[in-house]
Protein backbone atom coordinates (compact mmCIF):
# COMPACT_ATOMS: atom_id res chain seq x y z
CA UNK A 1 0.00 0.00 0.00
CA UNK A 2 2.34 2.69 -1.35
CA UNK A 3 -0.07 5.47 -0.39
CA UNK A 4 0.44 4.84 3.36
CA UNK A 5 3.69 5.81 5.11
CA UNK A 6 4.31 2.31 6.48
CA UNK A 7 3.61 0.63 3.11
CA UNK A 8 1.88 -2.47 4.55
CA UNK A 9 0.86 -5.40 2.35
CA UNK A 10 -2.85 -6.15 1.99
CA UNK A 11 -4.27 -9.51 0.98
CA UNK A 12 -8.00 -9.99 0.42
CA UNK A 13 -10.38 -12.34 -1.34
CA UNK A 14 -14.08 -13.09 -1.50
CA UNK A 15 -16.54 -15.57 -2.96
CA UNK A 16 -20.14 -14.61 -3.59
CA UNK A 17 -23.39 -15.82 -5.09
CA UNK A 18 -26.32 -13.64 -6.09
CA UNK A 19 -29.82 -13.73 -7.52
CA UNK A 20 -31.79 -11.02 -9.32
CA UNK A 21 -35.48 -11.83 -9.74
CA UNK A 22 -38.28 -9.66 -11.14
CA UNK A 23 -41.89 -10.08 -12.20
CA UNK A 24 -43.47 -7.54 -14.56
CA UNK A 25 -47.22 -7.01 -14.82
CA UNK A 26 -48.64 -4.83 -17.60
CA UNK A 27 -51.95 -3.24 -16.69
CA UNK A 28 -54.71 -1.69 -18.79
CA UNK A 29 -54.26 1.97 -19.69
CA UNK A 30 -50.49 1.79 -20.22
CA UNK A 31 -49.67 1.16 -16.57
CA UNK A 32 -46.96 -1.24 -15.42
CA UNK A 33 -45.83 -2.73 -12.09
CA UNK A 34 -42.59 -4.61 -11.39
CA UNK A 35 -42.01 -6.70 -8.26
CA UNK A 36 -38.47 -7.88 -7.62
CA UNK A 37 -35.90 -9.07 -5.13
CA UNK A 38 -32.10 -8.86 -5.12
CA UNK A 39 -30.15 -11.35 -3.01
CA UNK A 40 -26.41 -11.77 -2.38
CA UNK A 41 -24.30 -13.85 -0.02
CA UNK A 42 -20.55 -13.26 0.29
CA UNK A 43 -17.69 -14.83 2.24
CA UNK A 44 -14.63 -12.57 2.42
CA UNK A 45 -11.41 -12.06 4.31
CA UNK A 46 -8.72 -9.38 4.61
CA UNK A 47 -5.31 -8.99 6.20
CA UNK A 48 -2.96 -6.01 6.41
CA UNK A 49 0.61 -6.66 7.57
CA UNK A 50 3.47 -4.15 7.79
CA UNK A 51 7.02 -5.53 7.58
CA UNK A 52 8.71 -2.18 6.98
CA UNK A 53 10.00 -0.30 10.03
CA UNK A 54 8.00 2.67 11.27
CA UNK A 55 8.56 5.68 8.99
CA UNK A 56 10.58 8.59 10.33
CA UNK A 57 9.02 12.06 10.30
CA UNK A 58 11.06 15.01 11.54
CA UNK A 59 13.81 12.75 12.88
CA UNK A 60 11.46 10.63 15.02
CA UNK A 61 9.95 7.25 14.12
CA UNK A 62 6.18 7.41 13.67
CA UNK A 63 4.36 5.65 16.48
CA UNK A 64 1.21 5.38 14.32
CA UNK A 65 2.44 3.28 11.38
CA UNK A 66 4.22 0.48 13.26
CA UNK A 67 5.27 -2.99 12.00
CA UNK A 68 3.10 -6.02 12.66
CA UNK A 69 -0.35 -7.36 11.85
CA UNK A 70 -2.63 -4.36 11.51
CA UNK A 71 -5.80 -6.28 10.60
CA UNK A 72 -6.78 -9.90 10.00
CA UNK A 73 -10.48 -10.69 9.77
CA UNK A 74 -13.25 -12.59 7.95
CA UNK A 75 -16.76 -11.37 7.11
CA UNK A 76 -19.82 -13.26 5.88
CA UNK A 77 -22.24 -10.77 4.33
CA UNK A 78 -25.92 -11.24 3.45
CA UNK A 79 -27.97 -8.71 1.49
CA UNK A 80 -31.72 -9.08 0.79
CA UNK A 81 -33.49 -6.28 -1.08
CA UNK A 82 -37.15 -6.57 -2.21
CA UNK A 83 -38.55 -3.70 -4.28
CA UNK A 84 -41.55 -2.49 -6.26
CA UNK A 85 -41.43 -0.19 -9.29
CA UNK A 86 -44.52 1.20 -11.01
CA UNK A 87 -45.30 3.38 -14.03
CA UNK A 88 -48.66 5.13 -14.44
CA UNK A 89 -49.98 6.84 -17.59
CA UNK A 90 -52.20 9.25 -15.65
CA UNK A 91 -52.94 11.46 -18.72
CA UNK A 92 -52.24 11.15 -22.43
CA UNK A 93 -49.04 13.18 -22.06
CA UNK A 94 -48.28 12.67 -18.38
CA UNK A 95 -46.49 9.66 -16.93
CA UNK A 96 -45.68 9.07 -13.26
CA UNK A 97 -43.14 6.60 -11.89
CA UNK A 98 -43.03 5.51 -8.26
CA UNK A 99 -41.04 2.89 -6.42
CA UNK A 100 -39.85 1.63 -3.07
CA UNK A 101 -36.85 -0.55 -2.19
CA UNK A 102 -36.02 -2.10 1.18
CA UNK A 103 -32.50 -3.39 1.77
CA UNK A 104 -31.39 -5.56 4.68
CA UNK A 105 -27.64 -6.06 5.20
CA UNK A 106 -26.05 -8.37 7.76
CA UNK A 107 -22.33 -8.75 8.50
CA UNK A 108 -21.02 -11.71 10.53
CA UNK A 109 -17.50 -10.59 11.46
CA UNK A 110 -14.67 -12.68 12.94
CA UNK A 111 -11.50 -11.04 14.26
CA UNK A 112 -8.43 -13.28 13.90
CA UNK A 113 -6.06 -11.09 15.94
CA UNK A 114 -5.40 -11.01 19.68
CA UNK A 115 -5.60 -7.35 20.56
CA UNK A 116 -8.42 -4.86 20.21
CA UNK A 117 -6.01 -1.92 19.83
CA UNK A 118 -2.62 -2.02 18.08
CA UNK A 119 -0.41 1.01 18.56
CA UNK A 120 -2.01 4.43 18.43
CA UNK A 121 -3.78 4.00 15.07
CA UNK A 122 -5.23 0.56 14.49
CA UNK A 123 -8.45 -0.69 16.06
CA UNK A 124 -9.41 -4.37 15.61
CA UNK A 125 -13.04 -4.71 16.80
CA UNK A 126 -14.18 -7.78 18.72
CA UNK A 127 -15.97 -10.45 16.70
CA UNK A 128 -19.68 -9.79 16.29
CA UNK A 129 -22.62 -9.11 14.00
CA UNK A 130 -23.92 -5.85 12.53
CA UNK A 131 -27.20 -5.30 10.67
CA UNK A 132 -28.51 -2.37 8.63
CA UNK A 133 -32.00 -1.70 7.25
CA UNK A 134 -32.56 0.97 4.61
CA UNK A 135 -35.69 2.18 2.81
CA UNK A 136 -35.31 3.99 -0.52
CA UNK A 137 -38.35 5.67 -2.17
CA UNK A 138 -38.45 7.35 -5.57
CA UNK A 139 -41.04 9.44 -7.40
CA UNK A 140 -40.89 10.95 -10.86
CA UNK A 141 -43.05 12.71 -13.43
CA UNK A 142 -42.56 13.10 -17.20
CA UNK A 143 -44.68 15.64 -19.08
CA UNK A 144 -44.66 15.43 -22.87
CA UNK A 145 -44.58 19.01 -24.22
CA UNK A 146 -44.42 18.21 -27.95
CA UNK A 147 -43.88 15.08 -30.00
CA UNK A 148 -40.14 15.18 -29.33
CA UNK A 149 -39.77 17.37 -26.20
CA UNK A 150 -40.51 16.41 -22.61
CA UNK A 151 -40.01 17.93 -19.15
CA UNK A 152 -39.25 15.80 -16.10
CA UNK A 153 -38.86 16.03 -12.34
CA UNK A 154 -37.54 13.31 -10.03
CA UNK A 155 -37.06 12.74 -6.33
CA UNK A 156 -35.05 9.80 -5.00
CA UNK A 157 -33.37 8.64 -1.83
CA UNK A 158 -30.27 6.50 -2.08
CA UNK A 159 -28.81 4.41 0.74
CA UNK A 160 -25.58 2.47 1.16
CA UNK A 161 -24.79 0.29 4.13
CA UNK A 162 -21.24 0.78 5.48
CA UNK A 163 -18.56 -1.16 3.67
CA UNK A 164 -16.89 -3.85 5.75
CA UNK A 165 -13.66 -1.82 5.73
CA UNK A 166 -15.59 1.16 7.17
CA UNK A 167 -16.51 -0.97 10.19
CA UNK A 168 -13.68 -3.44 10.70
CA UNK A 169 -10.57 -1.78 9.27
CA UNK A 170 -11.18 0.85 11.93
CA UNK A 171 -9.00 3.49 13.54
CA UNK A 172 -8.60 4.54 17.14
CA UNK A 173 -10.65 7.71 17.42
CA UNK A 174 -14.01 8.79 15.95
CA UNK A 175 -14.31 5.83 13.56
CA UNK A 176 -14.50 3.09 16.19
CA UNK A 177 -16.66 0.11 15.24
CA UNK A 178 -20.34 1.01 15.23
CA UNK A 179 -19.50 4.63 14.48
CA UNK A 180 -20.21 4.18 10.77
CA UNK A 181 -23.85 4.17 9.72
CA UNK A 182 -25.61 3.80 6.36
CA UNK A 183 -24.92 6.71 4.02
CA UNK A 184 -28.08 8.47 2.82
CA UNK A 185 -28.46 10.87 -0.09
CA UNK A 186 -31.66 12.71 -1.04
CA UNK A 187 -31.83 14.20 -4.52
CA UNK A 188 -34.21 16.37 -6.52
CA UNK A 189 -33.74 16.78 -10.29
CA UNK A 190 -35.67 18.85 -12.82
CA UNK A 191 -35.03 19.16 -16.53
CA UNK A 192 -36.13 19.04 -20.14
CA UNK A 193 -35.00 16.90 -23.08
CA UNK A 194 -35.50 16.94 -26.85
CA UNK A 195 -34.87 14.05 -29.26
CA UNK A 196 -35.48 13.49 -32.96
CA UNK A 197 -34.33 15.49 -35.98
CA UNK A 198 -32.14 18.58 -35.75
CA UNK A 199 -31.04 19.82 -32.35
CA UNK A 200 -31.08 17.20 -29.58
CA UNK A 201 -30.45 18.18 -25.98
CA UNK A 202 -31.02 17.45 -22.31
CA UNK A 203 -30.72 20.07 -19.57
CA UNK A 204 -31.02 19.05 -15.92
CA UNK A 205 -30.57 20.89 -12.62
CA UNK A 206 -30.17 18.99 -9.36
CA UNK A 207 -29.65 19.33 -5.63
CA UNK A 208 -28.46 16.52 -3.38
CA UNK A 209 -27.88 16.24 0.36
CA UNK A 210 -25.77 13.43 1.83
CA UNK A 211 -25.65 12.36 5.49
CA UNK A 212 -23.35 9.94 7.35
CA UNK A 213 -20.72 10.24 4.62
CA UNK A 214 -17.72 8.00 5.45
CA UNK A 215 -14.40 9.18 4.01
CA UNK A 216 -10.71 9.62 4.78
CA UNK A 217 -9.62 13.23 5.18
CA UNK A 218 -6.29 14.64 4.00
CA UNK A 219 -4.77 13.91 7.44
CA UNK A 220 -5.37 10.16 6.83
CA UNK A 221 -8.08 10.13 9.50
CA UNK A 222 -11.40 8.38 8.94
CA UNK A 223 -14.53 10.54 9.19
CA UNK A 224 -17.66 8.40 9.76
CA UNK A 225 -20.39 11.05 9.90
CA UNK A 226 -19.71 13.69 7.25
CA UNK A 227 -22.42 15.78 5.61
CA UNK A 228 -22.29 17.28 2.11
CA UNK A 229 -24.41 19.33 -0.29
CA UNK A 230 -24.30 19.02 -4.09
CA UNK A 231 -25.91 21.48 -6.51
CA UNK A 232 -25.38 21.53 -10.23
CA UNK A 233 -26.48 21.97 -13.82
CA UNK A 234 -25.80 19.44 -16.58
CA UNK A 235 -26.12 19.95 -20.33
CA UNK A 236 -25.85 17.43 -23.13
CA UNK A 237 -26.47 18.36 -26.77
CA UNK A 238 -25.94 17.33 -30.40
CA UNK A 239 -26.54 19.50 -33.45
CA UNK A 240 -25.91 18.65 -37.14
CA UNK A 241 -25.04 21.82 -39.07
CA UNK A 242 -25.51 19.91 -42.34
CA UNK A 243 -24.61 16.51 -43.76
CA UNK A 244 -20.90 17.23 -43.39
CA UNK A 245 -20.45 18.88 -39.97
CA UNK A 246 -21.95 18.41 -36.52
CA UNK A 247 -21.18 19.36 -32.94
CA UNK A 248 -21.81 17.61 -29.63
CA UNK A 249 -21.15 18.59 -26.04
CA UNK A 250 -21.51 17.41 -22.44
CA UNK A 251 -20.93 20.06 -19.76
CA UNK A 252 -21.52 20.21 -16.02
CA UNK A 253 -21.38 23.10 -13.55
CA UNK A 254 -21.47 22.06 -9.90
CA UNK A 255 -20.86 22.99 -6.27
CA UNK A 256 -19.89 20.07 -4.03
CA UNK A 257 -19.57 21.39 -0.46
CA UNK A 258 -19.04 20.12 3.08
CA UNK A 259 -22.06 20.77 5.31
CA UNK A 260 -20.33 20.34 8.69
CA UNK A 261 -17.31 21.45 10.67
CA UNK A 262 -14.47 19.16 11.77
CA UNK A 263 -11.99 20.84 14.13
CA UNK A 264 -8.36 19.93 13.49
CA UNK A 265 -8.88 18.83 9.89
CA UNK A 266 -9.47 22.23 8.32
CA UNK A 267 -12.97 21.25 7.20
CA UNK A 268 -15.48 24.07 7.59
CA UNK A 269 -19.08 24.23 6.45
CA UNK A 270 -19.18 25.64 2.91
CA UNK A 271 -15.71 24.39 1.89
CA UNK A 272 -15.46 22.51 -1.38
CA UNK A 273 -14.93 18.75 -1.31
CA UNK A 274 -11.50 17.45 -2.24
CA UNK A 275 -11.06 16.75 -5.99
CA UNK A 276 -14.47 18.26 -6.79
CA UNK A 277 -14.12 20.56 -9.85
CA UNK A 278 -16.66 23.29 -10.51
CA UNK A 279 -16.71 22.61 -14.24
CA UNK A 280 -16.15 19.58 -16.45
CA UNK A 281 -16.98 19.06 -20.08
CA UNK A 282 -16.09 17.96 -23.55
CA UNK A 283 -17.00 19.41 -26.93
CA UNK A 284 -16.76 17.34 -30.12
CA UNK A 285 -16.65 18.74 -33.65
CA UNK A 286 -17.41 16.07 -36.24
CA UNK A 287 -16.69 16.02 -39.99
CA UNK A 288 -18.27 13.41 -42.26
CA UNK A 289 -15.57 13.58 -44.93
CA UNK A 290 -17.40 11.01 -47.06
CA UNK A 291 -20.34 8.72 -46.34
CA UNK A 292 -17.83 6.13 -45.03
CA UNK A 293 -15.16 8.38 -43.50
CA UNK A 294 -15.49 10.47 -40.34
CA UNK A 295 -13.11 12.65 -38.31
CA UNK A 296 -13.71 14.18 -34.90
CA UNK A 297 -11.84 16.78 -32.85
CA UNK A 298 -12.53 16.68 -29.10
CA UNK A 299 -11.78 19.27 -26.41
CA UNK A 300 -11.78 17.94 -22.84
CA UNK A 301 -11.91 20.57 -20.07
CA UNK A 302 -11.34 20.12 -16.35
CA UNK A 303 -11.50 23.19 -14.11
CA UNK A 304 -9.35 23.75 -11.04
CA UNK A 305 -10.18 21.91 -7.82
CA UNK A 306 -8.98 21.80 -4.23
CA UNK A 307 -6.87 18.88 -3.01
CA UNK A 308 -6.96 19.58 0.75
CA UNK A 309 -9.94 19.70 3.08
CA UNK A 310 -9.12 23.25 4.16
CA UNK A 311 -9.14 24.42 0.51
CA UNK A 312 -5.61 25.86 0.83
CA UNK A 313 -4.02 23.80 -1.97
CA UNK A 314 -5.38 23.10 -5.45
CA UNK A 315 -4.82 21.59 -8.87
CA UNK A 316 -5.08 24.18 -11.66
CA UNK A 317 -7.10 22.02 -14.06
CA UNK A 318 -6.33 21.27 -17.70
CA UNK A 319 -7.49 21.31 -21.30
CA UNK A 320 -6.68 18.33 -23.51
CA UNK A 321 -7.47 17.83 -27.22
CA UNK A 322 -7.95 14.50 -29.01
CA UNK A 323 -8.30 13.72 -32.72
CA UNK A 324 -10.12 10.64 -34.01
CA UNK A 325 -10.86 9.25 -37.46
CA UNK A 326 -12.51 6.15 -38.90
CA UNK A 327 -13.03 4.72 -42.38
CA UNK A 328 -15.37 1.88 -43.41
CA UNK A 329 -13.42 -0.12 -45.98
CA UNK A 330 -16.35 -2.49 -46.44
CA UNK A 331 -19.59 -3.17 -44.61
CA UNK A 332 -17.59 -5.46 -42.31
CA UNK A 333 -14.13 -3.87 -42.09
CA UNK A 334 -13.39 -0.53 -40.38
CA UNK A 335 -10.02 1.19 -39.96
CA UNK A 336 -9.66 3.73 -37.16
CA UNK A 337 -7.07 5.91 -35.51
CA UNK A 338 -6.70 8.31 -32.58
CA UNK A 339 -4.17 10.95 -31.58
CA UNK A 340 -4.53 11.35 -27.81
CA UNK A 341 -3.37 14.62 -26.22
CA UNK A 342 -2.85 16.31 -29.57
CA UNK A 343 -0.80 19.22 -28.19
CA UNK A 344 1.17 17.08 -25.69
CA UNK A 345 -0.24 18.91 -22.68
CA UNK A 346 1.13 18.11 -19.21
CA UNK A 347 -1.82 17.23 -16.99
CA UNK A 348 -2.99 14.91 -14.23
CA UNK A 349 -5.82 12.42 -14.47
CA UNK A 350 -6.21 13.04 -10.73
CA UNK A 351 -4.29 15.11 -8.20
CA UNK A 352 -4.35 14.99 -4.42
CA UNK A 353 -2.29 15.85 -1.37
CA UNK A 354 -0.99 13.28 1.11
CA UNK A 355 -1.68 14.26 4.71
CA UNK A 356 0.19 13.65 7.90
CA UNK A 357 3.91 14.19 8.44
CA UNK A 358 4.71 13.06 4.89
CA UNK A 359 2.28 15.41 3.20
CA UNK A 360 3.05 16.33 -0.40
CA UNK A 361 1.44 16.87 -3.78
CA UNK A 362 0.67 13.64 -5.64
CA UNK A 363 -0.33 13.26 -9.29
CA UNK A 364 -1.71 10.42 -11.38
CA UNK A 365 0.00 11.71 -14.50
CA UNK A 366 -1.97 11.91 -17.76
CA UNK A 367 -0.58 10.24 -20.84
CA UNK A 368 1.57 12.16 -23.28
CA UNK A 369 0.67 12.44 -26.96
CA UNK A 370 0.39 9.06 -28.64
CA UNK A 371 -1.04 7.56 -31.83
CA UNK A 372 -3.29 4.54 -31.69
CA UNK A 373 -4.43 2.76 -34.87
CA UNK A 374 -6.47 -0.36 -35.36
CA UNK A 375 -9.05 -2.25 -37.34
CA UNK A 376 -12.31 -3.98 -36.52
CA UNK A 377 -14.07 -6.69 -38.48
CA UNK A 378 -17.67 -7.77 -37.89
CA UNK A 379 -19.04 -11.11 -39.06
Amino acid sequence: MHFLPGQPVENNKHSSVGLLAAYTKDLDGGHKVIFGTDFEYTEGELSEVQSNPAPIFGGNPSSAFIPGVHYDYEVDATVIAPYIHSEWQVLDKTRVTAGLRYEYTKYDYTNNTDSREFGTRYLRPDSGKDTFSNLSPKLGLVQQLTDNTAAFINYARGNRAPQTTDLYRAQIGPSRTGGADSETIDSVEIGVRKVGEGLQYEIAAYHMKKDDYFFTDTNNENVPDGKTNHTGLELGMFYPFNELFDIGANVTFAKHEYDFNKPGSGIEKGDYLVTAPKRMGNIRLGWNVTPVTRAELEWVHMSEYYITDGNDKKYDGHDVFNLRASHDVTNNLTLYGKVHNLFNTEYAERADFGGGGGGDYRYFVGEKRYLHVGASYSF
Side-chain angles (χ1 to χ4, degrees):
M1 300 173 68
H2 63 87
F3 48 85
L4 289 178
Q7 299 186 5
V9 174
E10 176 194 305
N11 286 282
N12 66 72
K13 69 177 181 179
H14 77 274
S15 301
S16 63
V17 59
L19 172 67
L20 307 178
Y23 172 75
T24 301
K25 177 67 174 179
D26 292 320
L27 306 175
D28 295 338
H31 312 311
K32 180 168 67 175
V33 180
I34 301 174
F35 301 93
T37 299
D38 300 339
F39 168 81
E40 183 177 10
Y41 176 76
T42 300
E43 294 181 349
E45 59 186 66
L46 180 146
S47 69
E48 178 184 315
V49 181
Q50 180 176 322
S51 299
N52 290 346
I56 298 176
F57 299 140
N60 297 315
S62 169
S63 61
F65 299 92
I66 58 177
V69 178
H70 296 169
Y71 304 101
D72 183 5
Y73 62 79
E74 302 171 6
V75 181
D76 295 340
T78 303
V79 179
I80 303 174
Y83 65 88
I84 180 172
H85 170 83
S86 62
E87 300 178 13
W88 307 94
Q89 195 70 42
V90 294
L91 297 172
D92 288 343
K93 296 184 177 182
T94 306
R95 192 167 185 84
V96 173
T97 61
L100 188 65
R101 173 186 171 92
Y102 170 77
E103 183 173 286
Y104 171 81
T105 303
K106 178 182 178 181
Y107 296 138
D108 189 348
Y109 158 79
T110 302
N111 177 31
N112 295 323
T113 56
D114 298 329
S115 173
R116 182 173 173 80
E117 294 185 1
F118 184 70
T120 61
R121 178 178 177 85
Y122 308 103
L123 174 67
R124 288 90 66 97
D126 296 329
S127 300
K129 298 178 181 180
D130 291 286
T131 60
F132 303 90
S133 297
N134 296 305
L135 200 61
S136 303
K138 65 177 180 179
L139 181 65
L141 182 145
V142 179
Q143 177 66 45
Q144 202 71 30
L145 305 176
T146 68
D147 290 342
N148 54 16
T149 305
F152 58 88
I153 183 170
N154 297 302
Y155 161 78
R157 165 169 285 191
N159 291 287
R160 182 185 70 81
Q163 299 182 47
T164 56
T165 50
D166 296 348
L167 293 170
Y168 311 126
R169 182 188 257 164
Q171 294 180 11
I172 297 172
S175 59
R176 287 178 176 270
T177 182
D181 203 350
S182 296
E183 290 186 9
T184 300
I185 186 166
D186 289 287
S187 67
V188 177
E189 177 190 37
I190 185 170
V192 61
R193 67 171 65 95
K194 178 182 179 296
V195 297
E197 299 295 329
L199 176 65
Q200 304 171 35
Y201 63 84
E202 180 171 315
I203 303 173
Y206 65 86
H207 178 73
M208 301 179 181
K209 185 175 181 63
K210 183 189 292 187
D211 291 322
D212 294 309
Y213 171 39
F214 189 103
F215 67 100
T216 302
D217 65 20
T218 49
N219 290 323
N220 279 324
E221 294 293 334
N222 288 344
V223 181
D225 55 356
K227 296 182 179 182
T228 60
N229 286 324
H230 311 263
T231 304
L233 179 69
E234 296 182 344
L235 167 67
M237 60 82 64
F238 176 80
Y239 179 70
F241 295 106
N242 49 45
E243 293 182 355
L244 292 179
F245 297 99
D246 54 67
I247 189 171
N250 293 94
V251 183
T252 179
F253 305 90
K255 292 177 66 177
H256 304 285
E257 301 172 311
Y258 293 111
D259 193 31
F260 74 113
N261 299 311
K262 184 176 183 291
S265 70
I267 296 177
E268 295 183 359
K269 186 174 181 178
D271 285 347
Y272 277 84
L273 271 66
V274 171
T275 63
K278 300 176 183 179
R279 300 179 308 278
M280 292 188 297
N282 69 78
I283 299 176
R284 307 168 304 280
L285 180 63
W287 178 22
N288 298 311
V289 184
T290 71
V292 295
T293 305
R294 177 176 172 82
E296 189 173 85
L297 177 65
E298 180 186 39
W299 169 30
V300 179
H301 171 72
M302 173 74 72
S303 75
E304 66 179 17
Y305 55 79
Y306 295 107
I307 58 175
T308 54
D309 294 317
N311 289 180
D312 59 342
K313 295 178 176 63
K314 66 181 180 180
Y315 171 68
D316 290 331
H318 60 256
D319 294 279
V320 175
F321 291 82
N322 304 311
L323 181 63
R324 289 184 285 266
S326 65
H327 174 71
D328 295 331
V329 180
T330 68
N331 290 334
N332 306 98
L333 177 63
T334 299
L335 304 178
Y336 58 87
K338 174 184 178 180
V339 180
H340 172 79
N341 195 359
L342 185 62
F343 300 113
N344 208 25
T345 303
E346 293 185 351
Y347 73 101
E349 293 284 356
R350 185 170 69 85
D352 66 10
F353 190 87
D360 201 358
Y361 290 89
R362 303 183 298 191
Y363 301 98
F364 294 81
V365 179
E367 293 180 295
K368 294 185 176 182
R369 179 173 55 222
Y370 70 82
L371 172 66
H372 173 83
V373 296
S376 64
Y377 188 86
S378 59
F379 297 90

